[in-house]
Amino acid sequence: MTTAEPWPASGPKLDGDAEPVRSGGRLNQPWRAAVAGLELVAAVALVLLAWWAWHRGVVTIYLPGPRGAVDVVTRSIGSWLSGAVIAATLAGLLLIDALRQIGLAIRAGD
């Protein structure tokens, strides 16, 4: 003798299965375009900062070598190079978020 299961074939309905309650706020707001513009300006400034810091982090030294030759030594200064990488990474993240903000600013409303 078989008994019916106490839940439907798709599984039991738990409290966490309920649909999330939406706040009703709109994502497409025109001020997001201004935020995207500010993020683009900040990204360009960070790229320029990264370029400047990278060039400060590489130092070329010319040393006199044997028989009048010149030996070239290139030194890398880690603090400047890591600062350049951090600035470039932040610029990339700002660029990605600026694209997201532009997409949300121009998306059609509900």
Side-chain angles (χ1 to χ4, degrees), residues 2-64:
T2 61
T3 60
E5 294 186 18
W7 55 78
S10 62
K13 298 297 180 191
L14 305 174
D15 291 339
D17 291 342
E19 290 293 321
V21 178
R22 304 212 183 254
S23 64
R26 294 181 331 147
L27 291 177
N28 59 328
Q29 298 174 355
W31 59 267
R32 289 183 181 273
V35 171
L38 291 174
E39 287 179 340
L40 288 174
V41 169
V44 168
L46 283 170
V47 166
L48 292 174
L49 177 69
W51 180 81
W52 176 77
W54 188 267
H55 287 289
R56 299 251 333 182
V58 178
V59 179
T60 303
I61 303 169
Y62 299 97
L63 299 172

Short mmCIF file of all heavy atoms in Angstrom, two decimals, residues 2-64:
data_model
loop_
_atom_site.label_atom_id
_atom_site.label_comp_id
_atom_site.label_asym_id
_atom_site.label_seq_id
_atom_site.Cartn_x
_atom_site.Cartn_y
_atom_site.Cartn_z
N THR A 2 0.63 2.20 -0.89
CA THR A 2 1.43 3.42 -0.98
C THR A 2 0.62 4.59 -0.45
O THR A 2 -0.61 4.65 -0.59
CB THR A 2 1.84 3.70 -2.44
OG1 THR A 2 0.67 3.88 -3.21
CG2 THR A 2 2.67 2.57 -2.98
N THR A 3 1.33 5.49 0.13
CA THR A 3 0.68 6.70 0.63
C THR A 3 1.16 7.89 -0.18
O THR A 3 2.30 7.91 -0.67
CB THR A 3 1.00 6.93 2.12
OG1 THR A 3 2.40 7.07 2.25
CG2 THR A 3 0.49 5.80 2.95
N ALA A 4 0.35 8.88 -0.33
CA ALA A 4 0.72 10.08 -1.08
C ALA A 4 1.74 10.89 -0.28
O ALA A 4 1.67 10.97 0.95
CB ALA A 4 -0.52 10.92 -1.36
N GLU A 5 2.66 11.45 -1.00
CA GLU A 5 3.66 12.28 -0.32
C GLU A 5 3.03 13.61 0.07
O GLU A 5 2.14 14.11 -0.62
CB GLU A 5 4.85 12.50 -1.25
CG GLU A 5 5.61 11.21 -1.53
CD GLU A 5 6.86 11.47 -2.33
OE1 GLU A 5 7.33 12.61 -2.37
OE2 GLU A 5 7.38 10.52 -2.90
N PRO A 6 3.52 14.23 1.15
CA PRO A 6 2.89 15.46 1.63
C PRO A 6 3.28 16.70 0.81
O PRO A 6 2.91 17.80 1.18
CB PRO A 6 3.38 15.56 3.07
CG PRO A 6 4.66 14.82 3.09
CD PRO A 6 4.50 13.72 2.07
N TRP A 7 4.03 16.55 -0.26
CA TRP A 7 4.39 17.70 -1.08
C TRP A 7 4.31 17.33 -2.56
O TRP A 7 4.31 16.17 -2.91
CB TRP A 7 5.79 18.22 -0.73
CG TRP A 7 6.86 17.18 -0.81
CD1 TRP A 7 7.47 16.72 -1.94
CD2 TRP A 7 7.45 16.47 0.26
NE1 TRP A 7 8.39 15.77 -1.65
CE2 TRP A 7 8.41 15.60 -0.29
CE3 TRP A 7 7.27 16.47 1.65
CZ2 TRP A 7 9.17 14.74 0.49
CZ3 TRP A 7 8.05 15.62 2.40
CH2 TRP A 7 8.98 14.77 1.83
N PRO A 8 4.25 18.33 -3.44
CA PRO A 8 4.14 18.03 -4.87
C PRO A 8 5.44 17.42 -5.41
O PRO A 8 6.47 17.42 -4.76
CB PRO A 8 3.85 19.39 -5.51
CG PRO A 8 4.29 20.40 -4.51
CD PRO A 8 4.18 19.75 -3.16
N ALA A 9 5.38 16.92 -6.64
CA ALA A 9 6.53 16.25 -7.25
C ALA A 9 7.72 17.17 -7.42
O ALA A 9 8.86 16.72 -7.48
CB ALA A 9 6.12 15.66 -8.60
N SER A 10 7.49 18.47 -7.49
CA SER A 10 8.62 19.40 -7.65
C SER A 10 9.38 19.62 -6.35
O SER A 10 10.40 20.29 -6.33
CB SER A 10 8.11 20.75 -8.17
OG SER A 10 7.21 21.32 -7.24
N GLY A 11 8.92 19.07 -5.27
CA GLY A 11 9.63 19.17 -4.01
C GLY A 11 8.83 19.98 -3.00
O GLY A 11 7.84 20.63 -3.33
N PRO A 12 9.28 19.95 -1.75
CA PRO A 12 8.56 20.69 -0.73
C PRO A 12 8.74 22.19 -0.91
O PRO A 12 9.76 22.66 -1.42
CB PRO A 12 9.20 20.21 0.57
CG PRO A 12 10.56 19.77 0.17
CD PRO A 12 10.43 19.24 -1.22
N LYS A 13 7.75 22.95 -0.55
CA LYS A 13 7.82 24.40 -0.60
C LYS A 13 8.31 24.90 0.75
O LYS A 13 7.67 24.72 1.77
CB LYS A 13 6.45 25.01 -0.92
CG LYS A 13 5.92 24.60 -2.27
CD LYS A 13 6.83 25.11 -3.37
CE LYS A 13 6.28 24.70 -4.72
NZ LYS A 13 7.22 24.94 -5.78
N LEU A 14 9.47 25.52 0.73
CA LEU A 14 10.07 26.05 1.95
C LEU A 14 9.89 27.55 1.99
O LEU A 14 9.56 28.19 0.98
CB LEU A 14 11.55 25.68 2.00
CG LEU A 14 11.86 24.18 1.88
CD1 LEU A 14 13.35 23.97 1.79
CD2 LEU A 14 11.27 23.43 3.04
N ASP A 15 10.14 28.13 3.15
CA ASP A 15 9.99 29.57 3.28
C ASP A 15 10.95 30.32 2.34
O ASP A 15 10.64 31.40 1.86
CB ASP A 15 10.25 30.00 4.73
CG ASP A 15 9.14 29.54 5.66
OD1 ASP A 15 8.04 29.27 5.15
OD2 ASP A 15 9.39 29.45 6.86
N GLY A 16 12.12 29.78 2.08
CA GLY A 16 13.10 30.43 1.22
C GLY A 16 12.75 30.38 -0.25
O GLY A 16 13.37 31.04 -1.07
N ASP A 17 11.73 29.60 -0.64
CA ASP A 17 11.34 29.47 -2.04
C ASP A 17 10.43 30.60 -2.50
O ASP A 17 10.12 30.69 -3.67
CB ASP A 17 10.62 28.14 -2.27
CG ASP A 17 11.57 26.95 -2.15
OD1 ASP A 17 12.79 27.17 -2.22
OD2 ASP A 17 11.07 25.83 -1.97
N ALA A 18 10.01 31.44 -1.60
CA ALA A 18 9.09 32.51 -1.96
C ALA A 18 9.81 33.53 -2.84
O ALA A 18 11.02 33.71 -2.77
CB ALA A 18 8.55 33.19 -0.71
N GLU A 19 9.06 34.22 -3.68
CA GLU A 19 9.62 35.25 -4.54
C GLU A 19 10.10 36.42 -3.68
O GLU A 19 9.46 36.80 -2.71
CB GLU A 19 8.55 35.75 -5.52
CG GLU A 19 8.19 34.74 -6.57
CD GLU A 19 9.34 34.48 -7.53
OE1 GLU A 19 10.04 35.44 -7.89
OE2 GLU A 19 9.54 33.31 -7.89
N PRO A 20 11.25 37.02 -4.05
CA PRO A 20 11.73 38.15 -3.27
C PRO A 20 10.82 39.36 -3.44
O PRO A 20 10.23 39.57 -4.49
CB PRO A 20 13.11 38.43 -3.86
CG PRO A 20 13.09 37.82 -5.22
CD PRO A 20 12.14 36.68 -5.15
N VAL A 21 10.72 40.13 -2.39
CA VAL A 21 9.90 41.33 -2.42
C VAL A 21 10.72 42.44 -3.05
O VAL A 21 11.84 42.72 -2.63
CB VAL A 21 9.47 41.72 -0.98
CG1 VAL A 21 8.66 42.99 -1.00
CG2 VAL A 21 8.71 40.58 -0.35
N ARG A 22 10.17 43.06 -4.06
CA ARG A 22 10.89 44.13 -4.76
C ARG A 22 10.49 45.48 -4.16
O ARG A 22 9.34 45.71 -3.80
CB ARG A 22 10.59 44.08 -6.24
CG ARG A 22 10.93 42.73 -6.82
CD ARG A 22 11.38 42.88 -8.24
NE ARG A 22 11.64 41.55 -8.80
CZ ARG A 22 12.85 41.10 -9.02
NH1 ARG A 22 13.88 41.84 -8.73
NH2 ARG A 22 13.04 39.91 -9.54
N SER A 23 11.47 46.38 -4.10
CA SER A 23 11.21 47.67 -3.48
C SER A 23 10.46 48.62 -4.40
O SER A 23 9.94 49.63 -3.96
CB SER A 23 12.53 48.31 -3.06
OG SER A 23 13.32 48.57 -4.20
N GLY A 24 10.44 48.32 -5.70
CA GLY A 24 9.72 49.17 -6.63
C GLY A 24 10.56 50.32 -7.17
O GLY A 24 10.08 51.12 -7.95
N GLY A 25 11.82 50.43 -6.77
CA GLY A 25 12.69 51.49 -7.26
C GLY A 25 13.11 51.23 -8.70
O GLY A 25 13.20 50.10 -9.14
N ARG A 26 13.33 52.30 -9.44
CA ARG A 26 13.74 52.16 -10.83
C ARG A 26 15.26 52.19 -10.91
O ARG A 26 15.91 52.97 -10.24
CB ARG A 26 13.17 53.30 -11.66
CG ARG A 26 11.68 53.26 -11.78
CD ARG A 26 11.16 54.38 -12.64
NE ARG A 26 12.02 55.55 -12.59
CZ ARG A 26 12.20 56.38 -13.61
NH1 ARG A 26 11.61 56.18 -14.74
NH2 ARG A 26 12.98 57.44 -13.49
N LEU A 27 15.81 51.35 -11.77
CA LEU A 27 17.25 51.37 -12.00
C LEU A 27 17.63 52.41 -13.05
O LEU A 27 18.72 52.95 -13.04
CB LEU A 27 17.73 49.99 -12.45
CG LEU A 27 17.67 48.90 -11.39
CD1 LEU A 27 18.11 47.58 -12.01
CD2 LEU A 27 18.55 49.25 -10.22
N ASN A 28 16.74 52.69 -14.00
CA ASN A 28 17.05 53.61 -15.07
C ASN A 28 16.76 55.04 -14.63
O ASN A 28 15.67 55.54 -14.75
CB ASN A 28 16.27 53.25 -16.34
CG ASN A 28 14.79 53.26 -16.10
OD1 ASN A 28 14.33 52.96 -15.01
ND2 ASN A 28 14.02 53.63 -17.10
N GLN A 29 17.76 55.69 -14.14
CA GLN A 29 17.63 57.07 -13.68
C GLN A 29 18.66 57.92 -14.42
O GLN A 29 19.82 57.52 -14.54
CB GLN A 29 17.83 57.15 -12.17
CG GLN A 29 16.77 56.35 -11.43
CD GLN A 29 17.04 56.29 -9.94
OE1 GLN A 29 18.04 56.77 -9.46
NE2 GLN A 29 16.11 55.70 -9.21
N PRO A 30 18.26 59.09 -14.91
CA PRO A 30 19.16 59.90 -15.73
C PRO A 30 20.43 60.35 -15.01
O PRO A 30 21.46 60.56 -15.65
CB PRO A 30 18.30 61.10 -16.12
CG PRO A 30 16.90 60.66 -15.95
CD PRO A 30 16.92 59.63 -14.86
N TRP A 31 20.41 60.49 -13.71
CA TRP A 31 21.60 60.95 -13.00
C TRP A 31 22.73 59.94 -13.10
O TRP A 31 23.89 60.26 -12.85
CB TRP A 31 21.29 61.28 -11.55
CG TRP A 31 20.73 60.13 -10.75
CD1 TRP A 31 19.43 59.84 -10.56
CD2 TRP A 31 21.47 59.13 -10.05
NE1 TRP A 31 19.30 58.71 -9.79
CE2 TRP A 31 20.53 58.25 -9.46
CE3 TRP A 31 22.81 58.87 -9.88
CZ2 TRP A 31 20.92 57.15 -8.72
CZ3 TRP A 31 23.19 57.77 -9.13
CH2 TRP A 31 22.25 56.93 -8.56
N ARG A 32 22.42 58.70 -13.48
CA ARG A 32 23.47 57.70 -13.63
C ARG A 32 24.43 58.06 -14.77
O ARG A 32 25.59 57.67 -14.74
CB ARG A 32 22.85 56.32 -13.88
CG ARG A 32 22.17 55.75 -12.66
CD ARG A 32 21.65 54.36 -12.96
NE ARG A 32 20.98 53.76 -11.85
CZ ARG A 32 21.58 53.05 -10.90
NH1 ARG A 32 22.87 52.88 -10.94
NH2 ARG A 32 20.89 52.52 -9.91
N ALA A 33 23.96 58.81 -15.76
CA ALA A 33 24.84 59.25 -16.85
C ALA A 33 25.90 60.22 -16.30
O ALA A 33 27.06 60.17 -16.72
CB ALA A 33 24.03 59.91 -17.96
N ALA A 34 25.52 61.06 -15.36
CA ALA A 34 26.49 61.98 -14.75
C ALA A 34 27.51 61.21 -13.92
O ALA A 34 28.71 61.52 -13.95
CB ALA A 34 25.76 63.01 -13.88
N VAL A 35 27.05 60.19 -13.22
CA VAL A 35 27.97 59.34 -12.45
C VAL A 35 28.95 58.65 -13.38
O VAL A 35 30.16 58.58 -13.12
CB VAL A 35 27.19 58.32 -11.59
CG1 VAL A 35 28.12 57.30 -10.96
CG2 VAL A 35 26.37 59.03 -10.53
N ALA A 36 28.43 58.16 -14.52
CA ALA A 36 29.30 57.50 -15.51
C ALA A 36 30.33 58.48 -16.06
O ALA A 36 31.50 58.12 -16.25
CB ALA A 36 28.46 56.92 -16.64
N GLY A 37 29.93 59.71 -16.30
CA GLY A 37 30.87 60.72 -16.78
C GLY A 37 31.98 60.99 -15.78
O GLY A 37 33.16 61.09 -16.15
N LEU A 38 31.61 61.11 -14.52
CA LEU A 38 32.63 61.32 -13.47
C LEU A 38 33.56 60.12 -13.36
O LEU A 38 34.78 60.28 -13.15
CB LEU A 38 31.95 61.60 -12.13
CG LEU A 38 31.21 62.93 -12.02
CD1 LEU A 38 30.46 63.00 -10.70
CD2 LEU A 38 32.19 64.08 -12.16
N GLU A 39 33.01 58.92 -13.50
CA GLU A 39 33.85 57.72 -13.43
C GLU A 39 34.80 57.65 -14.63
O GLU A 39 35.95 57.22 -14.48
CB GLU A 39 32.98 56.46 -13.35
CG GLU A 39 32.33 56.28 -12.01
CD GLU A 39 31.46 55.05 -11.93
OE1 GLU A 39 31.04 54.54 -13.00
OE2 GLU A 39 31.20 54.60 -10.81
N LEU A 40 34.35 58.07 -15.80
CA LEU A 40 35.23 58.09 -16.97
C LEU A 40 36.38 59.08 -16.78
O LEU A 40 37.53 58.79 -17.13
CB LEU A 40 34.44 58.40 -18.23
CG LEU A 40 33.51 57.29 -18.72
CD1 LEU A 40 32.68 57.79 -19.90
CD2 LEU A 40 34.32 56.07 -19.12
N VAL A 41 36.07 60.25 -16.23
CA VAL A 41 37.12 61.25 -15.97
C VAL A 41 38.12 60.70 -14.95
O VAL A 41 39.34 60.83 -15.12
CB VAL A 41 36.49 62.57 -15.47
CG1 VAL A 41 37.55 63.52 -14.94
CG2 VAL A 41 35.71 63.22 -16.61
N ALA A 42 37.62 60.06 -13.91
CA ALA A 42 38.51 59.48 -12.89
C ALA A 42 39.35 58.35 -13.49
O ALA A 42 40.53 58.20 -13.15
CB ALA A 42 37.70 58.97 -11.71
N ALA A 43 38.77 57.56 -14.40
CA ALA A 43 39.52 56.47 -15.03
C ALA A 43 40.64 57.02 -15.89
O ALA A 43 41.76 56.48 -15.88
CB ALA A 43 38.58 55.60 -15.86
N VAL A 44 40.39 58.09 -16.63
CA VAL A 44 41.44 58.70 -17.45
C VAL A 44 42.55 59.24 -16.56
O VAL A 44 43.75 59.07 -16.84
CB VAL A 44 40.85 59.80 -18.35
CG1 VAL A 44 41.94 60.64 -19.00
CG2 VAL A 44 39.96 59.18 -19.42
N ALA A 45 42.17 59.88 -15.45
CA ALA A 45 43.18 60.41 -14.51
C ALA A 45 44.01 59.27 -13.92
O ALA A 45 45.24 59.40 -13.78
CB ALA A 45 42.50 61.20 -13.40
N LEU A 46 43.39 58.15 -13.61
CA LEU A 46 44.13 57.02 -13.06
C LEU A 46 45.06 56.38 -14.09
O LEU A 46 46.15 55.92 -13.75
CB LEU A 46 43.16 55.98 -12.49
CG LEU A 46 42.56 56.32 -11.13
CD1 LEU A 46 41.45 55.35 -10.79
CD2 LEU A 46 43.63 56.30 -10.05
N VAL A 47 44.63 56.35 -15.35
CA VAL A 47 45.51 55.83 -16.40
C VAL A 47 46.74 56.73 -16.55
O VAL A 47 47.88 56.24 -16.67
CB VAL A 47 44.75 55.70 -17.74
CG1 VAL A 47 45.71 55.49 -18.91
CG2 VAL A 47 43.76 54.55 -17.66
N LEU A 48 46.55 58.04 -16.52
CA LEU A 48 47.68 58.97 -16.60
C LEU A 48 48.60 58.81 -15.39
O LEU A 48 49.83 58.84 -15.52
CB LEU A 48 47.19 60.40 -16.72
CG LEU A 48 46.48 60.74 -18.04
CD1 LEU A 48 45.90 62.15 -17.97
CD2 LEU A 48 47.42 60.58 -19.21
N LEU A 49 48.00 58.63 -14.22
CA LEU A 49 48.79 58.40 -13.01
C LEU A 49 49.58 57.10 -13.12
O LEU A 49 50.75 57.04 -12.72
CB LEU A 49 47.88 58.37 -11.78
CG LEU A 49 48.56 58.08 -10.45
CD1 LEU A 49 49.46 59.25 -10.06
CD2 LEU A 49 47.52 57.81 -9.38
N ALA A 50 48.96 56.06 -13.65
CA ALA A 50 49.65 54.77 -13.81
C ALA A 50 50.82 54.91 -14.78
O ALA A 50 51.90 54.38 -14.53
CB ALA A 50 48.66 53.71 -14.29
N TRP A 51 50.61 55.61 -15.88
CA TRP A 51 51.69 55.82 -16.86
C TRP A 51 52.86 56.57 -16.22
O TRP A 51 54.02 56.21 -16.40
CB TRP A 51 51.13 56.58 -18.06
CG TRP A 51 52.14 56.84 -19.13
CD1 TRP A 51 52.56 55.99 -20.09
CD2 TRP A 51 52.88 58.04 -19.32
NE1 TRP A 51 53.50 56.59 -20.88
CE2 TRP A 51 53.72 57.85 -20.42
CE3 TRP A 51 52.89 59.27 -18.65
CZ2 TRP A 51 54.57 58.83 -20.88
CZ3 TRP A 51 53.75 60.25 -19.10
CH2 TRP A 51 54.58 60.02 -20.21
N TRP A 52 52.55 57.62 -15.48
CA TRP A 52 53.59 58.41 -14.83
C TRP A 52 54.34 57.59 -13.79
O TRP A 52 55.57 57.60 -13.74
CB TRP A 52 52.94 59.64 -14.18
CG TRP A 52 53.89 60.48 -13.41
CD1 TRP A 52 54.81 61.36 -13.89
CD2 TRP A 52 54.02 60.52 -11.98
NE1 TRP A 52 55.50 61.94 -12.87
CE2 TRP A 52 55.04 61.45 -11.69
CE3 TRP A 52 53.39 59.86 -10.95
CZ2 TRP A 52 55.41 61.73 -10.38
CZ3 TRP A 52 53.76 60.15 -9.66
CH2 TRP A 52 54.76 61.08 -9.38
N ALA A 53 53.61 56.83 -12.98
CA ALA A 53 54.25 56.03 -11.94
C ALA A 53 55.09 54.91 -12.54
O ALA A 53 56.16 54.58 -12.02
CB ALA A 53 53.19 55.44 -11.00
N TRP A 54 54.65 54.32 -13.66
CA TRP A 54 55.42 53.25 -14.29
C TRP A 54 56.77 53.78 -14.77
O TRP A 54 57.80 53.12 -14.60
CB TRP A 54 54.63 52.66 -15.46
CG TRP A 54 55.29 51.45 -16.02
CD1 TRP A 54 56.17 51.40 -17.06
CD2 TRP A 54 55.16 50.11 -15.54
NE1 TRP A 54 56.58 50.12 -17.27
CE2 TRP A 54 55.97 49.29 -16.36
CE3 TRP A 54 54.42 49.53 -14.52
CZ2 TRP A 54 56.07 47.93 -16.17
CZ3 TRP A 54 54.52 48.17 -14.35
CH2 TRP A 54 55.33 47.38 -15.16
N HIS A 55 56.75 54.96 -15.36
CA HIS A 55 58.01 55.53 -15.84
C HIS A 55 58.92 55.98 -14.69
O HIS A 55 60.15 56.03 -14.86
CB HIS A 55 57.74 56.68 -16.81
CG HIS A 55 57.25 56.19 -18.13
ND1 HIS A 55 58.06 55.54 -19.03
CD2 HIS A 55 56.02 56.21 -18.69
CE1 HIS A 55 57.36 55.20 -20.09
NE2 HIS A 55 56.11 55.59 -19.90
N ARG A 56 58.37 56.30 -13.55
CA ARG A 56 59.20 56.60 -12.38
C ARG A 56 59.80 55.33 -11.79
O ARG A 56 60.79 55.38 -11.09
CB ARG A 56 58.37 57.31 -11.30
CG ARG A 56 57.79 58.61 -11.70
CD ARG A 56 58.37 59.79 -11.10
NE ARG A 56 58.98 59.62 -9.81
CZ ARG A 56 59.50 60.62 -9.16
NH1 ARG A 56 59.42 61.82 -9.65
NH2 ARG A 56 60.08 60.43 -8.01
N GLY A 57 59.17 54.20 -12.04
CA GLY A 57 59.61 52.94 -11.45
C GLY A 57 60.69 52.23 -12.23
O GLY A 57 61.22 51.22 -11.76
N VAL A 58 61.01 52.71 -13.43
CA VAL A 58 62.07 52.10 -14.23
C VAL A 58 63.19 53.12 -14.39
O VAL A 58 62.99 54.19 -14.97
CB VAL A 58 61.53 51.67 -15.62
CG1 VAL A 58 62.65 51.09 -16.46
CG2 VAL A 58 60.41 50.66 -15.46
N VAL A 59 64.36 52.79 -13.86
CA VAL A 59 65.51 53.70 -13.89
C VAL A 59 66.62 53.05 -14.68
O VAL A 59 67.01 51.91 -14.41
CB VAL A 59 65.99 54.03 -12.45
CG1 VAL A 59 67.19 54.94 -12.48
CG2 VAL A 59 64.86 54.62 -11.63
N THR A 60 67.14 53.78 -15.68
CA THR A 60 68.26 53.28 -16.48
C THR A 60 69.53 53.97 -16.02
O THR A 60 69.59 55.19 -15.93
CB THR A 60 68.00 53.55 -17.98
OG1 THR A 60 66.76 52.96 -18.34
CG2 THR A 60 69.10 52.97 -18.83
N ILE A 61 70.56 53.16 -15.75
CA ILE A 61 71.85 53.67 -15.28
C ILE A 61 72.91 53.27 -16.29
O ILE A 61 72.99 52.10 -16.69
CB ILE A 61 72.18 53.11 -13.88
CG1 ILE A 61 71.07 53.45 -12.90
CG2 ILE A 61 73.52 53.64 -13.40
CD1 ILE A 61 71.18 52.73 -11.57
N TYR A 62 73.72 54.23 -16.70
CA TYR A 62 74.81 53.97 -17.64
C TYR A 62 76.12 53.98 -16.85
O TYR A 62 76.48 54.96 -16.22
CB TYR A 62 74.84 55.05 -18.72
CG TYR A 62 73.57 55.09 -19.53
CD1 TYR A 62 72.56 56.00 -19.23
CD2 TYR A 62 73.37 54.20 -20.57
CE1 TYR A 62 71.39 56.03 -19.95
CE2 TYR A 62 72.20 54.22 -21.31
CZ TYR A 62 71.22 55.13 -21.00
OH TYR A 62 70.05 55.16 -21.72
N LEU A 63 76.83 52.85 -16.90
CA LEU A 63 78.08 52.69 -16.17
C LEU A 63 79.23 52.51 -17.14
O LEU A 63 79.06 51.85 -18.19
CB LEU A 63 78.01 51.48 -15.24
CG LEU A 63 76.93 51.52 -14.15
CD1 LEU A 63 76.85 50.19 -13.44
CD2 LEU A 63 77.22 52.63 -13.17
N PRO A 64 80.39 53.07 -16.81
CA PRO A 64 81.55 52.84 -17.68
C PRO A 64 81.99 51.38 -17.60
O PRO A 64 82.10 50.81 -16.52
CB PRO A 64 82.61 53.79 -17.13
CG PRO A 64 82.20 54.07 -15.73
CD PRO A 64 80.71 53.94 -15.69
#
